Amino acid sequence: MFMCCVVIVLSLLGYFQNIVALLAVNVYVSFFEIGLGPIPWLIVAEMFDAKYVTTAMAACSQLNWVCNFVVGFVFPYLNEYLGPYSFVPFAIVLALTFIFAALKLPETQGTTPEELMDQLVRKNSSVVYHNMNIEDAHNNPIDLEWKLAMEQLKQEDEAAMESGSY
């Protein structure tokens, strides 16, 4: 995809014929559909536990559509102001995405979501955000509420047993 951006820019600058730019756009879209396009859904499915996947997928889908809207809204201005260089920002984003994926994303092949979560917690266990330890941050608020409710029921049952009204 990066090379397609380079070819598009060179074609728009007149180094290649316009048909080459058209072919490069088609190749770009084809590789996007088999490469970066489905990645948000693949990463979400692999990085989150099953009970969080629906929420994460919803957020991922919303972010994807917002980004599509921004690109569609901004591209005419990019084309107007950057002219033949209007695909350079996309090439820069592709290069940064490659660097991020190579350096920051963990390898998920052969790991379960629980193993991946444990790996990420160990990696970031010394980091504290807003007086909250990351090791405790992966608890689901519903699970905590359920735990508190069960403790309250246990205390009520114990009190009823002690008073003989159980």
Side-chain angles (χ1 to χ4, degrees), residues 61-76:
S61 181
Q62 289 175 347
L63 179 64
N64 191 5
W65 279 107
V66 166
C67 290
N68 286 336
F69 175 77
V70 168
V71 168
F73 186 74
V74 170
F75 186 77

Side-chain angles (χ1 to χ4, degrees), residues 6-56:
V6 171
V7 170
I8 292 168
V9 169
L10 292 174
S11 296
L12 293 174
L13 287 172
Y15 291 104
F16 300 119
Q17 296 178 1
N18 288 340
I19 192 72
V20 175
L22 181 64
L23 290 173
V25 168
N26 286 324
V27 171
Y28 181 94
V29 171
S30 297
F31 278 104
F32 179 81
E33 292 301 323
I34 62 171
L36 288 177
I39 282 180
W41 287 272
L42 293 173
I43 287 177
V44 168
E46 288 191 17
M47 289 189 70
F48 290 95
D49 196 20
K51 58 186 171 183
Y52 305 117
V53 168
T54 54
T55 304

Side-chain angles (χ1 to χ4, degrees), residues 11-161:
S11 296
L12 293 174
L13 287 172
Y15 291 104
F16 300 119
Q17 296 178 1
N18 288 340
I19 192 72
V20 175
L22 181 64
L23 290 173
V25 168
N26 286 324
V27 171
Y28 181 94
V29 171
S30 297
F31 278 104
F32 179 81
E33 292 301 323
I34 62 171
L36 288 177
I39 282 180
W41 287 272
L42 293 173
I43 287 177
V44 168
E46 288 191 17
M47 289 189 70
F48 290 95
D49 196 20
K51 58 186 171 183
Y52 305 117
V53 168
T54 54
T55 304
M57 286 288 214
C60 179
S61 181
Q62 289 175 347
L63 179 64
N64 191 5
W65 279 107
V66 166
C67 290
N68 286 336
F69 175 77
V70 168
V71 168
F73 186 74
V74 170
F75 186 77
Y77 297 105
L78 282 174
N79 194 27
E80 180 181 338
Y81 293 109
L82 297 178
Y85 298 102
S86 58
F87 282 88
V88 170
F90 297 107
I92 292 170
V93 169
L94 284 169
L96 293 175
T97 300
F98 178 78
I99 292 168
F100 172 77
L103 299 178
K104 293 293 184 183
L105 286 182
E107 178 59 48
T108 60
Q109 184 176 1
T111 61
T112 64
E114 292 81 15
E115 292 170 343
L116 183 60
M117 188 183 307
D118 289 340
Q119 178 186 5
L120 291 173
V121 166
R122 277 194 310 273
K123 178 182 174 187
N124 299 312
S125 63
S126 64
V127 180
V128 176
Y129 294 101
H130 303 288
N131 298 326
M132 177 179 75
N133 192 335
I134 283 184
E135 289 180 346
D136 300 329
H138 66 275
N139 293 332
N140 184 355
I142 294 173
D143 291 342
L144 294 175
E145 185 176 334
W146 180 258
K147 182 179 176 183
L148 290 173
M150 293 306 290
E151 287 176 3
Q152 183 181 359
L153 283 173
K154 182 180 174 184
Q155 290 173 354
E156 290 174 0
D157 287 346
E158 289 173 355
M161 281 188 231

